[in-house]
Amino acid sequence: MNHTDPIDLRSDTVTRPSPGMREAMARAPVGDDQFGEDPTVNRLQEVVAGLLGKEAALWVPTGVMANQVALRVLTRPGDDVVVSRDCHAVWHESGAGAANSGVQFTEIGSGGSFTREEFLAALKPAGHALFPPTTLVQIENTHNRCGGVVFPAVEAARVCAAARERGVSSYLDGARLWNASVACGSSPAELAGPFDLVSVAFSKGLGAPGGAMLAGRSEVIHRAVRYRRMLGGAMRQVGIFAAAGLYGLEHNLPGLAADHDKARRFARRLAASRRITVDPSRVQTNIVFFDLAADAPDAPAVVAKAREQGVLAVAFGSRTIRAVTHLDVTSEQCERAAEVIVRIAESPAA
Ligand SMILES: *Cc1c(COP(=O)(O)O)cnc(C)c1O
């Protein structure tokens, strides 16, 4: 980034491909993926299946499409899908689950996770005269709107086991699974293990310009190919993107720990202001949510003033702001951004 660029903490999706990543993209051998002939995407699919401990993996252009294909593969119209409260599928996919798969969502738990018992209490059995059958349970790890928290691995295994015993499928929305793995010290394969189907993304912490992947048993992935096509996500010389994903896995995965450290430093600086509420000990990964006191300017006002001073963040509510750290911001920039936000929060409310 050059010195006139703002400190952009709106999302970990704002990163730009580095010169090394661009070079890997330019040099990637490619072919028509609809004939199965793109060697680079084939390699990435193998690498990711291996990392997640699954039989097969499938390229999809975006994380939202991964979630949409998963719903098509694992549910039928009219089914009920149990999800964590405030999940991406409910808030950030434009109603796609209802539009594309005709499912309803039942939100459970709090703080980004739920227990096996909460899942069983929400589960609607098949064959009932009135109930929509619960055919899928979905976990988001890390949980975006709950502050990038890690879903407890032991509980995820208990939920998936209970689901399997009852013939209910399980899906992991792992758009930030790499962050979860780094934060909790379990491998991606350990975190993915209990689930029938898993997604991961390359366009967030790994710094690629796009791309996501689904992984699971070969039979499930085989069926996913059709729905990817149906949703318009079947691409051609996609190895140019896959090369960026491979580069990100090799070069940027280790840097996620540094992103988490930046987020904690940012939160600690904010916490020193009596007009900002944030608990740095709850910042587990690269996402920081913080609240503004009643006597501070509100979130849209703070975000607007911060923008004038070269700091970008997102208002998630009238008094709540989200900031996300990533490859393209340094520790110093994160601390400077916190200084700017504290100064604005401590100015008189308009
Ligand atoms: C970002 C995200 C996605 C997918 O987003 P895309 O922009 O389509 O890649 C899915 N789930 C979660 C939890 C996310 O944070």
Side-chain angles (χ1 to χ4, degrees), residues 29-347:
V30 296
D32 190 335
D33 187 42
Q34 294 312 293
F35 291 100
E37 289 173 3
D38 189 302
T40 310
V41 83
N42 289 343
R43 189 159 140 246
L44 181 59
Q45 287 174 168
E46 271 170 41
V47 166
V48 167
L51 279 173
L52 297 176
K54 302 296 184 194
E55 284 176 7
L58 181 70
W59 166 271
V60 281
T62 66
V64 169
M65 192 176 288
N67 289 352
Q68 295 311 305
V69 170
L71 288 174
R72 288 302 303 261
V73 173
L74 300 174
T75 66
R76 311 251 312 153
D79 286 0
D80 175 63
V81 179
V82 172
V83 297
S84 49
R85 195 172 310 287
D86 294 334
C87 67
H88 197 273
V90 168
W91 273 90
H92 294 253
E93 298 183 12
S94 208
N100 294 323
S101 295
V103 296
Q104 69 172 36
F105 293 112
T106 298
E107 295 177 81
I108 64 169
S110 62
S113 65
F114 55 83
T115 63
R116 174 183 183 274
E117 288 67 34
E118 285 170 321
F119 163 60
L120 290 175
L123 185 143
K124 298 150 200 77
H128 191 277
L130 282 70
F131 297 161
T134 304
T135 54
L136 179 64
V137 60
Q138 180 169 317
I139 281 175
E140 184 173 315
N141 194 13
T142 66
H143 194 298
N144 179 1
R145 288 185 77 94
C146 291
V149 294
V150 177
F151 197 103
V154 172
E155 206 55 40
R158 292 178 80 234
V159 167
C160 291
R164 191 154 301 136
E165 283 165 19
R166 288 159 183 80
V168 174
S169 300
S170 53
Y171 173 60
L172 172 60
D173 176 352
R176 292 193 181 83
L177 190 68
W178 314 118
N179 296 87
S181 167
V182 165
C184 74
S186 299
S187 69
E190 285 168 325
L191 298 180
F195 295 87
D196 294 320
L197 194 57
V198 178
S199 69
V200 290
F202 307 107
S203 57
K204 288 179 173 165
L206 298 184
M213 221 161 247
L214 282 166
R217 288 191 315 280
S218 301
E219 173 268 324
V220 176
I221 294 302
H222 183 73
R223 284 190 287 130
V225 172
R226 178 182 175 212
Y227 294 113
R228 177 182 69 174
R229 177 89 188 167
M230 205 183 267
L231 290 167
M235 296 170 74
R236 303 293 176 171
Q237 287 73 24
V238 74
I240 289 174
F241 272 99
L246 284 163
Y247 184 94
L249 284 172
E250 192 181 331
H251 295 90
N252 299 338
L253 192 52
L256 293 180
D259 288 350
H260 301 173
D261 185 60
K262 291 173 213 168
R264 273 188 300 271
R265 283 166 188 263
F266 176 80
R268 254 186 250 128
R269 179 62 194 92
L270 292 181
S273 169
R274 53 164 195 85
R275 282 199 175 168
I276 295 176
T277 306
V278 59
D279 181 353
S281 72
R282 294 180 54 121
V283 175
Q284 299 176 3
T285 59
N286 65 327
I287 301 178
V288 180
F289 276 86
F290 56 95
D291 294 320
L292 298 157
D295 57 349
D298 66 10
V302 170
V303 165
K305 281 192 190 153
R307 177 179 275 274
E308 288 168 12
Q309 297 178 42
V311 173
L312 307 185
V314 177
F316 260 68
S318 66
R319 301 224 150 249
T320 303
I321 294 177
R322 188 189 79 168
V324 186
T325 62
H326 50 77
L327 272 175
D328 284 2
V329 289
T330 65
S331 225
E332 293 66 41
Q333 287 177 315
C334 292
E335 292 192 19
R336 207 179 329 136
E339 298 291 341
V340 166
I341 289 167
V342 165
R343 222 179 308 123
I344 295 166
E346 294 185 349
S347 65

